[in-house]
Every structure is written in structure tokens, then in C-alpha cells.
Amino acid sequence: MTPHCCAPSFDGGGARGSEPEHDCEADGAGVRQDGVHPIEQATIPAGKFAMGDAFAEGYPADGELPVHDVTVSEFSIDVTTVTNAAFAAFVRDTGYRTESENFGYSAVFHHLFRGSGEDELGHVADAPWWLGIAGADWRHPGGRKTSIDGLDDHPVVHVSWNDAQAYCRWAGRRLPTEAEWEYASRGGLAGARFPWGDELGADDAGNGAWPCNIWQGDFPRSNTVADGWESTAPVRTFAPNGYGLWQTTGNVWEWCADNFDPGYYRESPDVDPAGPAESPVKVMRGGSFLCHASYCYRYRNAARSSNTPDSATCNMGFRTVA
């Protein structure tokens, strides 16, 4: 796992590398397919777009270049990320236990941890603001002493790629390819940096209104919370993009179906690309409430990142497509 604002790797508490024991299979194959997915969808028309970083301002290791034309078939996509309420319905219906619950811990940003020192299992060597916290999971996002009471309309977090796959199988849906995700996030704005245009429209000096939920201040020490949210925001906060999608950038990272390869754009098919055949890591898109231009400038349409399929953090969620 790459240590930055989205993908911690702990130097204590063990690695999340062994296969956990689930009530249902980790990839969702054991989950029945009769769930009622409660998230509203938008239909995205087929079309062609320029995929990649038109401003050449991404991180070279993320592979946002070259910009290349991609044609995408019509699909439907959730207008919001999957909420705590929706994920709770899935769990009630299936008895599914997430990988964080089975492993017994998950990754929590230091400002959000609520608990005692005995729950701290380790931290990231190069990013000590990431803690491995015993008892952290989707029901307890900041540790065992926290809950999601009153957060039904917030995005579910502490879900791995495998957990998201299990939900998708229950709902009769799937994760978006990263081409679908980027096409939908752009909202019909060709080459735009953000879902609403090229300018953020706000700054840490207090000028302007924040259009998304990201970090303001001095990362990782002080967050001024100028956008109103220290952690996740309700999924219909701020304004939707041109396709009616809410918060594709900021708030929480979103899993995509694809395997990740930073060199994939050099050989990607130009019609409905589905990612490389093999990779130990999966694509993540959109950035999160912890992103800041000084450290993790990934709250852009073109930004890419990755993590292992069993990883989970307090700022990772997903939305589905069909």
C-alpha cells in the first residue's frame, strides 16, 4: 500500500494480506443477488471524451498521461456514493461482515480517532497521521467508541474493494470502470479540471465558497474546516455536476473495477477500456476530505490512485453502475 492521504501501510499491527474468514466469500460470490439498491441513478449517454490530465499537473507515478480519446457506451451510475443506510440494508439482508470487521482493525486519520492508546496498533512509517485502530470499521469510523448514529446519509467508509464487490453482487450492479467514472465525473465538461470547471473557486485564505469536501489549512496538522466538514459530508452536499452526480471529487475515494497500471493509458483500448488484465492493486478515483494541493492533489477528474483490494480506510467508499 502506498502511504499518502488515501492509502496507508502500517508498520505495526500486522499486514492485511491474509485471506479473512467471511460469512460470505470475499469477492461477493456467496452473496445472493436479490437486494434492493436504494441509491438513485443517472443515465450517462454514450459518447467520446478526452481521458487523462489535460493540464499535466498530476503525479507521474499515477499515470494520468497521455490524454487519449475514449468512447464509452451508455450506462447508469449512482448519483451519490453508497450511504451508510444503504450498506446497512445490505448487511441486514445478508449478514455480511466486512474485511475490517474480520481483520479487527482499519485505518483512521489521527484527528478522527476517538479512543484509548491500547486501540492504536501501529502507524504508517512515512505518514504517521494514519493509525491502525482496533475496532474501526464501517459502523465505527473513528474507532470502537464512535458510531454512525445520525450519519445515514453519509458515505459508507472502511469498505474494501472486496466488500464493495459483495454489495454490488447483492444489488445486481457492479463497480464502474475508471473510464466510466471519469466520463461521468466530468459531467459533460470537456477537459475540465474539476466536475464544475477549471477553478476551485476558494482558497485557504478564506476567499470564495468551497465547492467540495477537501482539506483546508496545513495538512496534516490543522484543518480550518472552512468547507464545513472535518470528516465525511452527507452525500448530497455542495452542487451536483452536469450529469446530476454529487461529490465525485472530495468527500471519499471511490473504488473502480479496474486493475491499476500507471502505464495503461499508453496501450488502453479506445472503446470501453476495462483496465489491465493483471495487477495486485485496484483503481481508486476522486480524492477525499483529506486531499490538499500541498500533499495529495487528487481531487480532480483525471486523478488516479490505487490500493490493494483488501484495504480499507476512513475515507474510502464507492458508487455502483449498471
Side-chain angles (χ1 to χ4, degrees):
M1 291 185 273
T2 305
H4 52 65
C5 77
C6 64
S9 177
F10 302 113
D11 60 9
R16 294 177 62 143
S18 58
E19 186 69 19
E21 294 183 2
H22 279 249
D23 292 344
C24 308
E25 293 181 29
D27 65 357
V31 176
R32 64 180 185 273
Q33 302 181 58
D34 59 355
V36 178
H37 180 57
I39 307 296
E40 179 188 353
Q41 290 113 48
T43 297
I44 309 301
K48 180 187 290 188
F49 77 108
M51 185 172 182
D53 177 17
F55 299 89
E57 60 192 359
Y59 301 98
D62 289 349
E64 296 179 29
L65 295 173
V67 175
H68 56 294
D69 287 341
V70 170
T71 298
V72 178
S73 301
E74 180 180 290
F75 62 100
S76 75
I77 186 169
D78 296 343
V79 300
T80 72
T81 49
V82 172
T83 61
N84 285 318
F87 200 80
F90 158 64
V91 170
R92 284 194 303 270
D93 199 28
T94 63
Y96 185 83
R97 283 174 57 83
T98 62
E99 296 198 293
S100 292
E101 291 171 287
N102 285 312
F103 282 119
Y105 75 97
S106 192
V108 178
F109 186 71
H110 67 144
H111 283 186
L112 304 179
F113 170 51
R114 303 291 183 270
S116 60
E118 64 185 12
D119 287 337
E120 295 186 32
L121 303 180
H123 63 275
V124 179
D126 296 328
W129 47 88
W130 276 115
L131 307 175
I133 298 298
D137 56 47
W138 74 275
R139 289 188 178 94
H140 309 95
R144 68 176 82 251
K145 294 186 177 181
T146 64
S147 77
I148 55 171
D149 291 348
L151 303 179
D152 281 357
D153 61 347
H154 284 237
V156 66
V157 293
H158 293 293
V159 287
S160 68
W161 186 89
N162 294 324
D163 297 331
Q165 290 286 76
Y167 179 97
C168 287
R169 184 170 179 84
W170 169 78
R173 297 178 66 78
R174 61 177 174 83
L175 292 174
T177 66
E178 68 168 327
E180 289 171 334
W181 188 96
E182 183 172 326
Y183 182 49
S185 181
R186 291 185 177 282
L189 297 180
R193 179 181 281 118
F194 304 115
W196 55 86
D198 290 338
E199 302 302 323
L200 188 59
D203 59 38
D204 285 345
N207 301 308
W210 290 91
C212 62
N213 181 15
I214 56 176
W215 184 280
Q216 296 90 44
D218 178 20
F219 185 89
R221 288 169 288 275
S222 62
N223 186 353
T224 66
V225 195
D227 61 14
W229 304 96
E230 181 181 21
S231 181
T232 59
V235 294
R236 289 178 183 258
T237 306
F238 307 102
N241 73 3
Y243 288 148
L245 274 60
W246 300 75
Q247 297 189 94
T248 54
T249 57
N251 217 25
V252 293
W253 282 98
E254 301 182 20
W255 287 112
C256 291
D258 310 39
N259 293 319
F260 177 81
D261 179 350
Y264 182 64
Y265 285 5
R266 293 192 295 270
E267 58 188 35
S268 172
D270 57 8
V271 177
D272 291 328
E278 296 182 1
S279 172
V281 290
K282 304 295 184 180
V283 171
M284 297 163 54
R285 286 299 200 117
S288 81
F289 61 84
L290 295 178
C291 281
H292 188 273
S294 68
Y295 185 69
C296 186
Y297 188 38
R298 294 184 175 94
Y299 49 96
R300 297 170 290 108
N301 288 322
R304 314 171 73 209
S305 193
S306 64
N307 213 325
T308 56
D310 66 344
S311 294
T313 69
C314 66
N315 65 337
M316 289 163 58
F318 69 103
R319 72 180 75 210
T320 75
V321 304

CSV table of all heavy atoms in Angstrom, one decimal, residues 42-96:
chain,number,residue,atom,x,y,z
A,42,ALA,N,-28.4,8.0,-12.4
A,42,ALA,CA,-28.5,8.8,-13.6
A,42,ALA,C,-28.0,8.0,-14.8
A,42,ALA,O,-27.1,7.2,-14.7
A,42,ALA,CB,-27.6,10.1,-13.4
A,43,THR,N,-28.6,8.2,-15.9
A,43,THR,CA,-28.2,7.6,-17.2
A,43,THR,C,-27.2,8.5,-17.9
A,43,THR,O,-27.5,9.7,-18.1
A,43,THR,CB,-29.4,7.4,-18.1
A,43,THR,OG1,-30.4,6.5,-17.4
A,43,THR,CG2,-29.0,6.7,-19.4
A,44,ILE,N,-26.1,7.9,-18.1
A,44,ILE,CA,-25.0,8.7,-18.8
A,44,ILE,C,-25.0,8.2,-20.3
A,44,ILE,O,-24.8,7.0,-20.6
A,44,ILE,CB,-23.6,8.4,-18.2
A,44,ILE,CG1,-23.7,8.6,-16.7
A,44,ILE,CG2,-22.6,9.2,-18.8
A,44,ILE,CD1,-24.1,9.9,-16.2
A,45,PRO,N,-25.2,9.2,-21.2
A,45,PRO,CA,-25.3,8.8,-22.6
A,45,PRO,C,-23.9,8.3,-23.2
A,45,PRO,O,-22.9,8.7,-22.7
A,45,PRO,CB,-25.7,10.1,-23.3
A,45,PRO,CG,-25.2,11.2,-22.4
A,45,PRO,CD,-25.3,10.6,-21.0
A,46,ALA,N,-24.0,7.5,-24.2
A,46,ALA,CA,-22.8,7.0,-24.8
A,46,ALA,C,-22.1,8.3,-25.5
A,46,ALA,O,-22.7,9.2,-25.8
A,46,ALA,CB,-23.1,6.0,-25.9
A,47,GLY,N,-20.8,8.2,-25.5
A,47,GLY,CA,-20.1,9.3,-26.1
A,47,GLY,C,-18.6,9.1,-26.1
A,47,GLY,O,-18.0,8.1,-25.5
A,48,LYS,N,-17.9,10.1,-26.6
A,48,LYS,CA,-16.4,10.1,-26.7
A,48,LYS,C,-15.9,11.3,-25.8
A,48,LYS,O,-16.5,12.4,-25.8
A,48,LYS,CB,-15.9,10.2,-28.1
A,48,LYS,CG,-14.4,10.3,-28.2
A,48,LYS,CD,-13.9,10.6,-29.6
A,48,LYS,CE,-14.2,9.4,-30.6
A,48,LYS,NZ,-13.6,9.6,-31.9
A,49,PHE,N,-14.8,11.0,-25.1
A,49,PHE,CA,-14.2,12.1,-24.3
A,49,PHE,C,-12.7,12.0,-24.3
A,49,PHE,O,-12.2,10.9,-24.6
A,49,PHE,CB,-14.8,12.2,-22.9
A,49,PHE,CG,-14.3,11.1,-21.9
A,49,PHE,CD1,-13.4,11.5,-20.9
A,49,PHE,CD2,-14.6,9.8,-22.1
A,49,PHE,CE1,-12.9,10.5,-20.0
A,49,PHE,CE2,-14.2,8.8,-21.2
A,49,PHE,CZ,-13.3,9.2,-20.2
A,50,ALA,N,-12.0,13.0,-23.9
A,50,ALA,CA,-10.6,13.0,-23.8
A,50,ALA,C,-10.2,12.6,-22.3
A,50,ALA,O,-10.5,13.4,-21.4
A,50,ALA,CB,-10.0,14.4,-24.1
A,51,MET,N,-9.7,11.4,-22.1
A,51,MET,CA,-9.4,10.9,-20.8
A,51,MET,C,-8.0,11.2,-20.4
A,51,MET,O,-7.1,11.0,-21.2
A,51,MET,CB,-9.7,9.4,-20.8
A,51,MET,CG,-9.5,8.7,-19.5
A,51,MET,SD,-10.0,7.0,-19.5
A,51,MET,CE,-9.8,6.5,-17.8
A,52,GLY,N,-7.8,11.7,-19.2
A,52,GLY,CA,-6.5,12.0,-18.7
A,52,GLY,C,-6.3,13.4,-18.3
A,52,GLY,O,-7.3,14.2,-18.4
A,53,ASP,N,-5.1,13.8,-17.9
A,53,ASP,CA,-4.8,15.1,-17.3
A,53,ASP,C,-4.4,16.1,-18.4
A,53,ASP,O,-3.3,16.2,-18.8
A,53,ASP,CB,-3.7,14.9,-16.3
A,53,ASP,CG,-3.2,16.2,-15.7
A,53,ASP,OD1,-4.0,17.2,-15.8
A,53,ASP,OD2,-2.1,16.2,-15.1
A,54,ALA,N,-5.4,16.9,-18.8
A,54,ALA,CA,-5.1,17.9,-19.8
A,54,ALA,C,-4.2,19.0,-19.4
A,54,ALA,O,-3.7,19.8,-20.2
A,54,ALA,CB,-6.5,18.5,-20.3
A,55,PHE,N,-4.0,19.1,-18.1
A,55,PHE,CA,-3.1,20.2,-17.5
A,55,PHE,C,-1.7,19.7,-17.2
A,55,PHE,O,-0.9,20.5,-16.7
A,55,PHE,CB,-3.8,20.8,-16.3
A,55,PHE,CG,-5.1,21.4,-16.5
A,55,PHE,CD1,-6.3,20.7,-16.5
A,55,PHE,CD2,-5.2,22.8,-16.9
A,55,PHE,CE1,-7.5,21.2,-16.7
A,55,PHE,CE2,-6.5,23.3,-17.1
A,55,PHE,CZ,-7.6,22.6,-17.1
A,56,ALA,N,-1.5,18.4,-17.3
A,56,ALA,CA,-0.2,17.8,-17.0
A,56,ALA,C,0.3,18.2,-15.6
A,56,ALA,O,1.4,18.6,-15.4
A,56,ALA,CB,0.8,18.2,-18.0
A,57,GLU,N,-0.6,18.1,-14.6
A,57,GLU,CA,-0.3,18.5,-13.2
A,57,GLU,C,-0.4,17.4,-12.2
A,57,GLU,O,-0.3,17.6,-11.0
A,57,GLU,CB,-1.2,19.7,-12.8
A,57,GLU,CG,-2.7,19.4,-12.9
A,57,GLU,CD,-3.5,20.6,-12.7
A,57,GLU,OE1,-3.0,21.7,-12.6
A,57,GLU,OE2,-4.8,20.5,-12.7
A,58,GLY,N,-0.7,16.2,-12.7
A,58,GLY,CA,-0.8,15.0,-11.8
A,58,GLY,C,0.6,14.5,-11.4
A,58,GLY,O,1.6,15.0,-11.9
A,59,TYR,N,0.5,13.5,-10.6
A,59,TYR,CA,1.8,12.8,-10.1
A,59,TYR,C,2.2,11.8,-11.2
A,59,TYR,O,1.4,11.0,-11.6
A,59,TYR,CB,1.5,12.1,-8.8
A,59,TYR,CG,1.1,13.1,-7.7
A,59,TYR,CD1,-0.3,13.2,-7.4
A,59,TYR,CD2,2.0,13.9,-7.0
A,59,TYR,CE1,-0.7,14.1,-6.4
A,59,TYR,CE2,1.6,14.7,-6.0
A,59,TYR,CZ,0.2,14.8,-5.7
A,59,TYR,OH,-0.2,15.7,-4.8
A,60,PRO,N,3.4,11.9,-11.7
A,60,PRO,CA,3.9,11.0,-12.8
A,60,PRO,C,3.6,9.5,-12.5
A,60,PRO,O,3.3,8.7,-13.3
A,60,PRO,CB,5.4,11.3,-12.9
A,60,PRO,CG,5.5,12.7,-12.4
A,60,PRO,CD,4.5,12.9,-11.3
A,61,ALA,N,3.8,9.1,-11.2
A,61,ALA,CA,3.6,7.7,-10.8
A,61,ALA,C,2.2,7.2,-10.9
A,61,ALA,O,1.9,6.0,-10.9
A,61,ALA,CB,4.2,7.4,-9.4
A,62,ASP,N,1.3,8.2,-11.0
A,62,ASP,CA,-0.2,7.8,-11.1
A,62,ASP,C,-0.6,7.5,-12.5
A,62,ASP,O,-1.7,6.9,-12.7
A,62,ASP,CB,-1.0,8.9,-10.6
A,62,ASP,CG,-0.9,9.1,-9.0
A,62,ASP,OD1,-0.4,8.2,-8.4
A,62,ASP,OD2,-1.5,10.1,-8.5
A,63,GLY,N,0.2,7.9,-13.5
A,63,GLY,CA,-0.1,7.6,-14.9
A,63,GLY,C,-1.3,8.2,-15.5
A,63,GLY,O,-2.2,7.6,-16.1
A,64,GLU,N,-1.5,9.6,-15.3
A,64,GLU,CA,-2.6,10.3,-15.8
A,64,GLU,C,-2.4,10.7,-17.3
A,64,GLU,O,-3.3,11.3,-17.9
A,64,GLU,CB,-2.9,11.5,-15.0
A,64,GLU,CG,-3.3,11.2,-13.6
A,64,GLU,CD,-3.6,12.5,-12.8
A,64,GLU,OE1,-3.9,13.5,-13.4
A,64,GLU,OE2,-3.4,12.5,-11.6
A,65,LEU,N,-1.3,10.4,-17.9
A,65,LEU,CA,-1.0,10.7,-19.3
A,65,LEU,C,-0.6,9.4,-20.0
A,65,LEU,O,-0.2,8.4,-19.4
A,65,LEU,CB,0.2,11.7,-19.3
A,65,LEU,CG,-0.1,13.1,-18.7
A,65,LEU,CD1,1.2,13.9,-18.6
A,65,LEU,CD2,-1.1,13.8,-19.5
A,66,PRO,N,-0.7,9.5,-21.4
A,66,PRO,CA,-1.1,10.6,-22.2
A,66,PRO,C,-2.7,10.8,-22.2
A,66,PRO,O,-3.4,9.8,-22.0
A,66,PRO,CB,-0.6,10.2,-23.6
A,66,PRO,CG,-0.7,8.7,-23.6
A,66,PRO,CD,-0.3,8.3,-22.2
A,67,VAL,N,-3.1,12.0,-22.5
A,67,VAL,CA,-4.5,12.2,-22.8
A,67,VAL,C,-4.9,11.4,-24.0
A,67,VAL,O,-4.1,11.5,-25.0
A,67,VAL,CB,-4.8,13.7,-22.9
A,67,VAL,CG1,-6.3,13.9,-23.3
A,67,VAL,CG2,-4.5,14.5,-21.6
A,68,HIS,N,-6.0,10.7,-24.0
A,68,HIS,CA,-6.3,9.9,-25.1
A,68,HIS,C,-7.9,9.8,-25.3
A,68,HIS,O,-8.6,9.9,-24.3
A,68,HIS,CB,-5.8,8.5,-25.0
A,68,HIS,CG,-6.2,7.8,-23.7
A,68,HIS,ND1,-5.8,8.3,-22.4
A,68,HIS,CD2,-7.0,6.7,-23.4
A,68,HIS,CE1,-6.3,7.5,-21.5
A,68,HIS,NE2,-7.0,6.6,-22.1
A,69,ASP,N,-8.4,9.8,-26.5
A,69,ASP,CA,-9.8,9.7,-26.7
A,69,ASP,C,-10.3,8.3,-26.4
A,69,ASP,O,-9.8,7.3,-26.8
A,69,ASP,CB,-10.1,10.0,-28.2
A,69,ASP,CG,-9.9,11.5,-28.5
A,69,ASP,OD1,-9.9,12.3,-27.5
A,69,ASP,OD2,-9.8,11.9,-29.7
A,70,VAL,N,-11.4,8.3,-25.7
A,70,VAL,CA,-12.1,7.1,-25.3
A,70,VAL,C,-13.6,7.2,-25.6
A,70,VAL,O,-14.2,8.2,-25.2
A,70,VAL,CB,-11.9,6.8,-23.8
A,70,VAL,CG1,-12.8,5.6,-23.3
A,70,VAL,CG2,-10.4,6.5,-23.5
A,71,THR,N,-14.2,6.1,-26.1
A,71,THR,CA,-15.6,6.1,-26.4
A,71,THR,C,-16.2,5.1,-25.3
A,71,THR,O,-15.7,4.0,-25.1
A,71,THR,CB,-15.9,5.5,-27.8
A,71,THR,OG1,-15.4,6.4,-28.7
A,71,THR,CG2,-17.4,5.4,-28.0
A,72,VAL,N,-17.3,5.6,-24.7
A,72,VAL,CA,-17.9,4.9,-23.6
A,72,VAL,C,-19.4,4.6,-24.0
A,72,VAL,O,-20.1,5.5,-24.5
A,72,VAL,CB,-17.9,5.7,-22.3
A,72,VAL,CG1,-18.6,4.9,-21.2
A,72,VAL,CG2,-16.4,6.0,-21.9
A,73,SER,N,-19.8,3.4,-23.8
A,73,SER,CA,-21.2,3.0,-24.0
A,73,SER,C,-22.1,3.6,-22.9
A,73,SER,O,-21.6,3.9,-21.8
A,73,SER,CB,-21.4,1.5,-24.0
A,73,SER,OG,-20.6,0.9,-25.0
A,74,GLU,N,-23.4,3.7,-23.2
A,74,GLU,CA,-24.3,4.2,-22.2
A,74,GLU,C,-24.4,3.3,-21.0
A,74,GLU,O,-24.2,2.1,-21.1
A,74,GLU,CB,-25.7,4.2,-22.8
A,74,GLU,CG,-26.8,4.8,-21.9
A,74,GLU,CD,-28.2,4.8,-22.5
A,74,GLU,OE1,-28.4,5.6,-23.4
A,74,GLU,OE2,-29.0,4.0,-22.2
A,75,PHE,N,-24.5,4.0,-19.8
A,75,PHE,CA,-24.6,3.2,-18.6
A,75,PHE,C,-25.4,4.0,-17.6
A,75,PHE,O,-25.5,5.3,-17.7
A,75,PHE,CB,-23.2,2.8,-18.0
A,75,PHE,CG,-22.3,4.0,-17.7
A,75,PHE,CD1,-22.2,4.5,-16.4
A,75,PHE,CD2,-21.6,4.7,-18.7
A,75,PHE,CE1,-21.3,5.5,-16.1
A,75,PHE,CE2,-20.8,5.8,-18.4
A,75,PHE,CZ,-20.6,6.2,-17.1
A,76,SER,N,-25.8,3.4,-16.5
A,76,SER,CA,-26.4,4.2,-15.4
A,76,SER,C,-25.4,4.1,-14.2
A,76,SER,O,-24.7,3.2,-14.0
A,76,SER,CB,-27.7,3.5,-14.9
A,76,SER,OG,-27.5,2.3,-14.2
A,77,ILE,N,-25.4,5.2,-13.4
A,77,ILE,CA,-24.5,5.3,-12.3
A,77,ILE,C,-25.2,6.0,-11.2
A,77,ILE,O,-26.1,6.8,-11.3
A,77,ILE,CB,-23.2,6.1,-12.7
A,77,ILE,CG1,-22.2,6.1,-11.6
A,77,ILE,CG2,-23.6,7.5,-13.1
A,77,ILE,CD1,-20.8,6.6,-12.0
A,78,ASP,N,-24.8,5.6,-10.0
A,78,ASP,CA,-25.4,6.2,-8.8
A,78,ASP,C,-25.1,7.6,-8.7
A,78,ASP,O,-24.0,8.1,-9.0
A,78,ASP,CB,-24.8,5.5,-7.5
A,78,ASP,CG,-25.2,4.0,-7.4
A,78,ASP,OD1,-26.1,3.6,-8.1
A,78,ASP,OD2,-24.5,3.4,-6.6
A,79,VAL,N,-26.1,8.5,-8.4
A,79,VAL,CA,-25.8,9.9,-8.3
A,79,VAL,C,-25.1,10.3,-7.1
A,79,VAL,O,-24.5,11.3,-7.0
A,79,VAL,CB,-27.1,10.7,-8.4
A,79,VAL,CG1,-27.9,10.4,-9.7
A,79,VAL,CG2,-28.0,10.5,-7.2
A,80,THR,N,-25.0,9.4,-6.1
A,80,THR,CA,-24.2,9.6,-4.9
A,80,THR,C,-23.4,8.3,-4.6
A,80,THR,O,-23.7,7.2,-5.2
A,80,THR,CB,-25.0,9.9,-3.6
A,80,THR,OG1,-25.7,8.7,-3.2
A,80,THR,CG2,-26.0,11.0,-3.9
A,81,THR,N,-22.4,8.4,-3.7
A,81,THR,CA,-21.8,7.2,-3.2
A,81,THR,C,-22.8,6.4,-2.4
A,81,THR,O,-23.8,6.9,-1.9
A,81,THR,CB,-20.6,7.5,-2.4
A,81,THR,OG1,-20.9,8.5,-1.4
A,81,THR,CG2,-19.4,8.1,-3.3
A,82,VAL,N,-22.5,5.1,-2.2
A,82,VAL,CA,-23.4,4.3,-1.4
A,82,VAL,C,-23.3,4.8,0.1
A,82,VAL,O,-22.2,5.1,0.6
A,82,VAL,CB,-22.9,2.8,-1.4
A,82,VAL,CG1,-23.6,2.0,-0.4
A,82,VAL,CG2,-23.1,2.3,-2.8
A,83,THR,N,-24.5,5.0,0.7
A,83,THR,CA,-24.6,5.6,2.0
A,83,THR,C,-24.5,4.5,3.1
A,83,THR,O,-24.6,3.3,2.9
A,83,THR,CB,-25.9,6.3,2.2
A,83,THR,OG1,-27.0,5.3,2.0
A,83,THR,CG2,-26.0,7.4,1.1
A,84,ASN,N,-24.3,5.0,4.3
A,84,ASN,CA,-24.4,4.1,5.5
A,84,ASN,C,-25.8,3.4,5.5
A,84,ASN,O,-25.8,2.2,5.9
A,84,ASN,CB,-24.2,4.9,6.8
A,84,ASN,CG,-22.8,5.3,7.0
A,84,ASN,OD1,-21.9,4.5,6.8
A,84,ASN,ND2,-22.5,6.5,7.5
A,85,ALA,N,-26.8,4.1,5.2
A,85,ALA,CA,-28.1,3.5,5.3
A,85,ALA,C,-28.3,2.3,4.3
A,85,ALA,O,-28.8,1.3,4.5
A,85,ALA,CB,-29.2,4.5,5.0
A,86,ALA,N,-27.8,2.6,3.0
A,86,ALA,CA,-27.8,1.6,2.0
A,86,ALA,C,-27.0,0.3,2.4
A,86,ALA,O,-27.4,-0.8,2.2
A,86,ALA,CB,-27.4,2.1,0.7
A,87,PHE,N,-25.8,0.6,2.9
A,87,PHE,CA,-24.9,-0.5,3.2
A,87,PHE,C,-25.5,-1.3,4.4
A,87,PHE,O,-25.4,-2.5,4.5
A,87,PHE,CB,-23.5,0.0,3.6
A,87,PHE,CG,-22.4,-1.1,3.5
A,87,PHE,CD1,-21.9,-1.5,2.3
A,87,PHE,CD2,-22.0,-1.7,4.7
A,87,PHE,CE1,-20.9,-2.4,2.2
A,87,PHE,CE2,-21.0,-2.6,4.6
A,87,PHE,CZ,-20.5,-3.0,3.4
A,88,ALA,N,-26.1,-0.6,5.4
A,88,ALA,CA,-26.8,-1.3,6.5
A,88,ALA,C,-27.9,-2.2,6.0
A,88,ALA,O,-28.0,-3.3,6.6
A,88,ALA,CB,-27.3,-0.2,7.5
A,89,ALA,N,-28.6,-1.8,5.0
A,89,ALA,CA,-29.7,-2.7,4.4
A,89,ALA,C,-29.1,-3.9,3.8
A,89,ALA,O,-29.6,-5.0,4.0
A,89,ALA,CB,-30.5,-1.9,3.4
A,90,PHE,N,-28.0,-3.8,3.1
A,90,PHE,CA,-27.2,-4.9,2.6
A,90,PHE,C,-26.8,-5.9,3.7
A,90,PHE,O,-27.0,-7.1,3.6
A,90,PHE,CB,-26.0,-4.4,1.8
A,90,PHE,CG,-24.9,-5.4,1.6
A,90,PHE,CD1,-25.1,-6.6,0.9
A,90,PHE,CD2,-23.7,-5.1,2.1
A,90,PHE,CE1,-24.0,-7.4,0.7
A,90,PHE,CE2,-22.6,-6.0,1.9
A,90,PHE,CZ,-22.8,-7.2,1.2
A,91,VAL,N,-26.2,-5.3,4.8
A,91,VAL,CA,-25.7,-6.2,5.9
A,91,VAL,C,-26.9,-6.9,6.6
A,91,VAL,O,-26.8,-8.1,6.9
A,91,VAL,CB,-24.9,-5.3,6.8
A,91,VAL,CG1,-24.6,-6.1,8.1
A,91,VAL,CG2,-23.6,-4.9,6.2
A,92,ARG,N,-28.0,-6.2,6.8
A,92,ARG,CA,-29.1,-6.8,7.5
A,92,ARG,C,-29.7,-7.9,6.6
A,92,ARG,O,-30.1,-9.0,7.1
A,92,ARG,CB,-30.2,-5.7,7.7
A,92,ARG,CG,-30.0,-4.8,8.8
A,92,ARG,CD,-31.3,-4.0,9.2
A,92,ARG,NE,-31.9,-3.3,8.0
A,92,ARG,CZ,-31.5,-2.0,7.7
A,92,ARG,NH1,-30.7,-1.4,8.5
A,92,ARG,NH2,-32.1,-1.5,6.7
A,93,ASP,N,-29.7,-7.8,5.3
A,93,ASP,CA,-30.2,-8.8,4.4
A,93,ASP,C,-29.4,-10.0,4.2
A,93,ASP,O,-29.9,-11.1,4.0
A,93,ASP,CB,-30.5,-8.1,3.1
A,93,ASP,CG,-31.5,-8.9,2.2
A,93,ASP,OD1,-32.3,-9.6,2.8
A,93,ASP,OD2,-31.4,-8.8,1.0
A,94,THR,N,-28.0,-9.8,4.4
A,94,THR,CA,-27.1,-10.9,4.0
A,94,THR,C,-26.3,-11.4,5.2
A,94,THR,O,-25.7,-12.5,5.1
A,94,THR,CB,-26.1,-10.4,2.9
A,94,THR,OG1,-25.3,-9.4,3.4
A,94,THR,CG2,-26.9,-10.0,1.7
A,95,GLY,N,-26.2,-10.6,6.3
A,95,GLY,CA,-25.3,-11.0,7.3
A,95,GLY,C,-23.8,-10.8,7.0
A,95,GLY,O,-22.9,-11.3,7.7
A,96,TYR,N,-23.5,-10.1,6.0
A,96,TYR,CA,-22.1,-9.9,5.5
A,96,TYR,C,-21.3,-9.1,6.6
A,96,TYR,O,-21.8,-8.2,7.2
A,96,TYR,CB,-22.1,-9.1,4.2
A,96,TYR,CG,-20.8,-8.9,3.6
A,96,TYR,CD1,-20.2,-9.9,2.8
A,96,TYR,CD2,-20.0,-7.8,3.8
A,96,TYR,CE1,-19.0,-9.8,2.2
A,96,TYR,CE2,-18.7,-7.6,3.3
A,96,TYR,CZ,-18.2,-8.7,2.5
A,96,TYR,OH,-17.0,-8.5,1.9
